[in-house]
Amino acid sequence: MEQTLEQTKTNSNFVLKVEGNDRGNFLPTVLPGYFMRFENVVYQFMDKICPSYSGARWEFFKLEGGGFYMAPDGSDDLEITMPFGNHFSDTLTPDAAGILATLLALNYIASKYESQQAGEQYFKLHDYVYQHSESSKLHRALD
């Protein structure tokens, strides 16, 4: 399968935006058997953590070293409030908010369905968080 990807350099890792026809095959490839549940859970978590969220087109991103995430399209920062855990409240870019929602959904799928694949994807994405420009906010949200 030939991929048409937009490549962005982020520290020592490349983030590849999945484009065009590759979008339809992306989630089934990275989470076979769970992709439909996973995608719905991402949107549900976004509803819970972002009071102003009312739906959006979501982009898919592949990490060069393995892993992936989804992020809502847009440029305006989003107010994020964690209604569980540490009660984090701050603004995040759509990219960082998407990483957070993806991590929450991967953790949920890994736990509820005992999916080793979702667990592995969680740790790959979590490793990438250390390189993200909003790393400190993401870690506060996840603690």
Side-chain angles (χ1 to χ4, degrees), residues 58-119:
W58 284 66
E59 302 293 347
F60 304 124
F61 297 92
K62 182 178 179 180
L63 304 177
E64 179 187 43
F68 74 98
Y69 66 95
M70 297 171 52
D73 192 27
S75 57
D76 294 337
D77 285 356
L78 302 168
E79 185 65 40
I80 302 296
T81 302
M82 297 292 279
F84 35 78
N86 66 6
H87 302 286
F88 169 88
S89 183
D90 205 338
T91 58
L92 293 175
T93 61
D95 189 68
I99 289 172
L100 180 58
T102 301
L103 284 166
L104 294 170
L106 285 169
N107 185 52
Y108 174 83
I109 295 293
S111 297
K112 180 165 178 82
Y113 300 104
E114 298 181 1
S115 168
Q116 181 178 350
Q117 188 171 33

Side-chain angles (χ1 to χ4, degrees), residues 8 12-13 15 30 34 57 70 72 90 93 96 127 132:
T8 307
S12 62
N13 222 339
V15 177
V30 295
Y34 299 101
R57 173 184 163 84
M70 297 171 52
D90 205 338
T93 61
D127 286 347
H132 195 274

